[in-house]
Amino acid sequence: MTEALDGPGWDGAWYRRGYFDDGSPLGSSASDECQIDSIVQSWAAISGVGRPDRIGPAVDAALGWLWNDGTGTMKLFTPPFEHTDKDPGYIKAYPPGVRENGGQYTHAACWMVYALGRMSRGADAHQLFDLLNPISHSETRGAADRYRVEPYVVAADVYAEGSKAGRGGWTWYTGSAGWLYRAAVEGILGIVPEGGNRLRIEPALPPDWRGFSATLRVAGRMRQIEVTLNGVTLDGKGPGTDGSFSLEGLDEAFR
């Protein structure tokens, strides 16, 4: 997998999404449509198998091409499929900029927040989280009128092209909501269960944050996390030699 990712999977400035049956690349600068895709850039970082010297530039490319403050969206890929004779599957049936066809597909946008957190880019992770936060789409009357859907639940998608850019799509979408929650708790706050009875706390906070506190209920017992500029503690104690915390009953807490 690693050899494939860093061999034919590398496009020169970012990672390719894949290949069509005829051997032509998908998510390549040589493509007429879908030149860069968000998912493969973020998962190259999250998976830990992308080359360190390539992950940063690839993620930067995705942010530069796909992040749009004007519409309040983080696109899945660009440009959308519209004229190509290639068949990428059902997403081509959507109009350009709608859902997976070059709109914001919120699952993928959440993965980018998570990736930025794991890359210790707390400022970027928090800024993108704010962009995705449904509350951010109702800070003004104009923004709310553009968004058109509930500003208190996560939308699975937000349109990103043409006159409908910035309009929310399928709301009350639990999959995207779950990933936005994980992006916040695991990606930015860095509270990550490792299985068994181990807990890793590796925050990626914005530089203007002084820290945070969090409470976990584990097997009926409350456990207190404190993160400050001086370090991380659990119930007043620091991590073990491997950087994680021993926490009996952790599986119960996250079941």
Side-chain angles (χ1 to χ4, degrees), residues 2-238:
T2 302
E3 291 176 0
L5 184 67
D6 286 319
W10 180 247
D11 196 59
W14 57 77
Y15 290 100
R16 296 171 176 172
R17 176 64 187 269
Y19 284 83
F20 289 103
D21 289 344
D22 65 1
S24 57
L26 173 64
S28 166
S29 58
S31 305
D32 293 331
E33 297 171 346
C34 187
Q35 292 181 326
I36 181 170
D37 179 280
S38 168
I39 293 177
V40 68
Q41 320 311 326
S42 58
W43 277 97
I46 295 170
S47 66
V49 300
R51 273 177 40 178
D53 61 325
R54 289 181 171 178
I55 292 172
V59 166
D60 286 340
L63 297 178
W65 282 64
L66 305 174
W67 185 330
N68 190 321
D69 285 324
T71 59
T73 57
M74 175 72 186
K75 297 178 183 179
L76 177 62
F77 62 79
T78 199
F81 290 109
E82 186 174 11
H83 303 296
T84 182
D85 59 356
K86 306 293 185 186
D87 183 10
Y90 76 94
I91 65 171
K92 191 179 175 182
Y94 291 122
V98 173
R99 292 183 62 79
E100 293 102 316
N101 191 13
Q104 175 183 295
Y105 198 60
T106 307
H107 271 73
C110 294
W111 291 332
M112 184 58 73
V113 175
Y114 200 112
L116 289 166
R118 295 304 86 212
M119 296 168 70
S120 299
R121 294 173 57 169
D124 291 335
H126 187 253
Q127 188 178 355
L128 182 54
F129 179 87
D130 276 348
L131 184 83
L132 305 182
N133 190 337
I135 294 173
S136 299
H137 292 278
S138 62
E139 293 179 330
T140 66
R141 178 57 186 263
D145 287 345
R146 179 179 66 184
Y147 194 50
R148 294 197 182 188
V149 294
E150 307 95 323
Y152 45 83
V153 292
V154 177
D157 58 287
V158 182
Y159 307 156
E161 299 283 343
S163 61
K164 295 181 177 59
R167 182 184 300 184
W170 186 354
T171 57
W172 296 92
Y173 201 75
T174 56
S176 294
W179 270 108
L180 189 61
Y181 178 84
R182 288 190 65 180
V185 174
E186 299 183 19
I188 298 175
L189 300 184
I191 304 173
V192 183
E194 292 195 321
N197 66 340
R198 310 300 299 180
L199 178 69
R200 187 168 297 276
I201 307 173
E202 294 181 336
L205 305 182
D208 57 338
W209 283 25
R210 299 185 61 84
F212 69 88
S213 62
T215 303
L216 296 179
R217 182 188 296 274
V218 182
R221 178 184 172 188
M222 307 304 290
R223 311 295 292 266
Q224 190 68 25
I225 296 170
E226 295 287 344
V227 175
T228 68
L229 297 178
N230 295 322
V232 180
T233 62
L234 176 68
D235 296 337
K237 300 179 181 180

